[in-house]
Amino acid sequence: MIQDTNTLSVWREQLWSTYVRLESKSEARDFYGRVVEFIPGTHSLSLVDSTSQLTERTRHHVRTDHQEVVLVAFQLAGQGFVAQDGRESRTIPGQFVFYESERPYSLSFEGPFKQLVLRVNRGKLLSRLPGLGNLTARTFEARTGSGAVALDFLRSVATRGASICDAQLALMERVASDLVAGSVLSLITDVSPRRVVFERLRDRIVEKVRDPSFGPLELATIAGMSSRSLRRLCAENGTSPGQLILQTRLQGVKEDLSTGTNAKRAVGDIALSWGFNDMSHFNHSFKAAYAIPPSRMRTSN
């Protein structure tokens, strides 16, 4: 879907409907703005093409609009400035930045610009990047290495977005989030090598945990370390081997419950497919993790 406008008030409405509630100002004489959404029925991936402006999400916006999303903006043309959490960064073509909806931020552009914007559920990205609050308004490289791979994937999705069905959407979003998170982990220098090892291990067990018999011993085998070393690695990252397996299973169920193609599947069937064989334990664990019972997760999305 393509939305074009030459009116600033309409432009604000387009930004609100596609991203989050915010305010946009511009002194450009020949103002224009265009939003292209690549995956029908979602706001997951879009192109922003506009001219000089100041866009701000204030504390008032945060209080009145409770969306919990992270916006990952890849600069394609022009340059911009992003400010959040006391940091400000200039972005040029071939770089990307994060900003979160839960706290105020500002975006400023001194001239025409284009950005490819990935809109990600905050919880999903936070599970991969626990230090997300320290990564906002920092620039990351997308011209080489894993950052370039992430951008190439998003461009491919943009080209084929119209043909992506509901059944494929959750997978596309997961791959995109994983590529972005992986590229950040490979680029930042203030994340310890042990954290990188932990994140890679988390990735490797996503499908393994669907087997009900998968436990800490199997996890240690996949990690290539002793049970004691595995416990130490998990403890350094605020969890335990058993909790890591449980968290991975719960996240899998949550994502499936949030996917439209699973609307007719029983909650119990989805839980079983993620390795749970005790429904009482599953229901208790899910409510403890997400503050609502699994039966309500569909209606809350």
Side-chain angles (χ1 to χ4, degrees):
M1 179 173 64
I2 301 175
Q3 301 178 72
D4 291 279
T5 182
N6 294 316
T7 306
L8 193 57
S9 60
V10 177
W11 176 244
R12 294 189 193 105
E13 294 289 340
Q14 289 180 0
L15 294 180
W16 285 10
S17 63
T18 307
Y19 304 109
V20 293
R21 187 169 292 271
L22 40 74
E23 180 68 27
S24 189
K25 308 172 185 176
S26 177
E27 297 181 357
R29 290 186 177 181
D30 298 318
F31 177 84
Y32 67 89
R34 181 170 71 120
V35 174
V36 181
E37 295 189 59
F38 296 110
I39 304 176
T42 80
H43 303 307
S44 300
L45 185 63
S46 56
L47 173 75
V48 181
D49 179 6
S50 191
T51 190
S52 58
Q53 62 192 267
L54 172 63
T55 297
E56 296 179 294
R57 181 167 168 85
T58 66
R59 294 189 185 280
H60 172 71
H61 294 132
V62 173
R63 286 195 300 269
T64 57
D65 174 32
H66 303 293
Q67 296 185 69
E68 297 182 6
V69 298
V70 177
L71 298 166
V72 188
F74 289 79
Q75 197 77 24
L76 303 181
Q79 66 176 13
F81 293 86
V82 181
Q84 189 173 43
D85 299 322
R87 291 181 294 274
E88 182 178 23
S89 294
R90 179 174 73 104
T91 57
I92 61 174
Q95 295 179 334
F96 68 94
V97 292
F98 294 95
Y99 42 100
E100 290 194 64
S101 66
E102 292 191 317
R103 297 183 304 285
Y105 63 78
S106 68
L107 313 172
S108 59
F109 305 92
E110 297 175 348
F113 71 94
K114 292 181 181 180
Q115 287 185 332
L116 186 63
V117 182
L118 176 68
R119 188 176 184 274
V120 186
N121 176 276
R122 182 179 182 273
K124 292 180 182 179
L125 194 58
L126 192 62
S127 69
R128 292 294 319 279
L129 295 172
L132 187 60
N134 296 318
L135 301 175
T136 55
R138 293 174 57 176
T139 56
F140 298 98
E141 183 63 52
R143 286 169 291 195
T144 60
S146 54
V149 173
L151 179 54
D152 287 346
F153 176 78
L154 292 176
R155 281 175 163 156
S156 178
V157 172
T159 301
R160 300 167 175 81
S163 64
I164 294 176
C165 63
D166 288 346
Q168 299 168 326
L169 180 59
L171 175 60
M172 295 297 99
E173 291 179 339
R174 181 184 295 177
V175 171
S177 297
D178 286 349
L179 284 172
V180 168
S183 66
V184 170
L185 288 171
S186 70
L187 291 168
I188 58 180
T189 59
D190 49 359
V191 171
S192 71
R194 296 273 290 175
R195 179 71 204 188
V196 175
V197 170
F198 179 77
E199 291 297 337
R200 288 175 177 168
L201 178 60
R202 189 202 298 269
D203 286 345
R204 292 173 63 190
I205 67 169
V206 168
E207 292 301 320
K208 301 290 186 182
V209 300
R210 290 180 179 272
D211 183 347
S213 67
F214 187 88
L217 289 177
E218 290 74 19
L219 181 60
T221 299
I222 289 177
M225 57 181 66
S226 67
S227 295
R228 182 178 180 182
S229 295
L230 175 63
R231 288 195 298 271
R232 185 183 304 118
L233 175 67
C234 289
E236 291 170 6
N237 291 279
T239 189
S240 68
Q243 280 297 311
L244 177 58
I245 294 170
L246 176 61
Q247 290 161 3
T248 306
R249 285 174 173 154
L250 288 172
Q251 183 65 33
V253 173
K254 181 175 181 288
E255 290 182 9
D256 278 359
L257 287 173
S258 303
T259 303
T261 52
N262 289 309
K264 295 183 179 180
R265 289 182 68 193
V267 172
D269 288 343
I270 294 175
L272 288 170
S273 74
W274 279 99
F276 289 100
N277 51 19
D278 182 333
M279 290 301 103
S280 176
H281 170 64
F282 161 69
N283 283 305
H284 176 77
S285 299
F286 193 97
K287 187 172 182 180
Y290 303 115
I292 60 173
S295 58
R296 287 181 52 199
M297 178 56 65
R298 285 172 173 148
T299 57
S300 67
N301 283 283

